[in-house]
Amino acid sequence: MNWFGAAEDLRACLKEAGVHRPQLFEASGTRIPLRAHDLRATFVTVNLAAGKTEAWITDRTGHKSSQMIYRYKRQDRTHAELNLGPRSRCTTRSSISPE
């Protein structure tokens, strides 16, 4: 993977996988296309909402401080607000949050 083109690679892979959500690819005055770095913010947000500790998250992301963790955290504060379905979906070993 070309790290300088990671965003383009990510978007191309999503399209190849059949993901056709226009908001992920749109560039306008109010939107930017999905970036590879957005995955990090999503990981932090989902796992804080699922009740994971800051230590658990920093072990996986390499963040050095709570300030950086909360910089990535999105507005949604709870698992229910994220509408992720059953809690076990985000807390099992096979989920998006590896142990």
Side-chain angles (χ1 to χ4, degrees), residues 5-52:
E8 291 84 9
D9 291 346
L10 172 62
R11 291 190 296 271
C13 289
L14 288 171
K15 286 180 182 178
E16 188 176 314
V19 175
H20 299 291
R21 186 174 173 199
Q23 298 88 341
L24 298 175
F25 309 102
E26 179 183 330
S28 69
T30 58
R31 295 192 65 84
I32 59 173
L34 179 70
R35 303 164 297 168
H37 199 75
D38 293 330
L39 300 176
R40 191 176 201 187
T42 300
F43 179 86
V44 170
T45 300
V46 167
N47 285 291
L48 284 172
K52 297 292 186 184

Side-chain angles (χ1 to χ4, degrees), residues 75-91:
Q75 292 295 319
D76 297 308
R77 300 258 192 271
T78 68
H79 186 271
E81 288 173 322
L82 289 172
N83 194 25
L84 296 173
R87 195 161 186 78
S88 62
R89 179 174 168 210
C90 289
T91 56

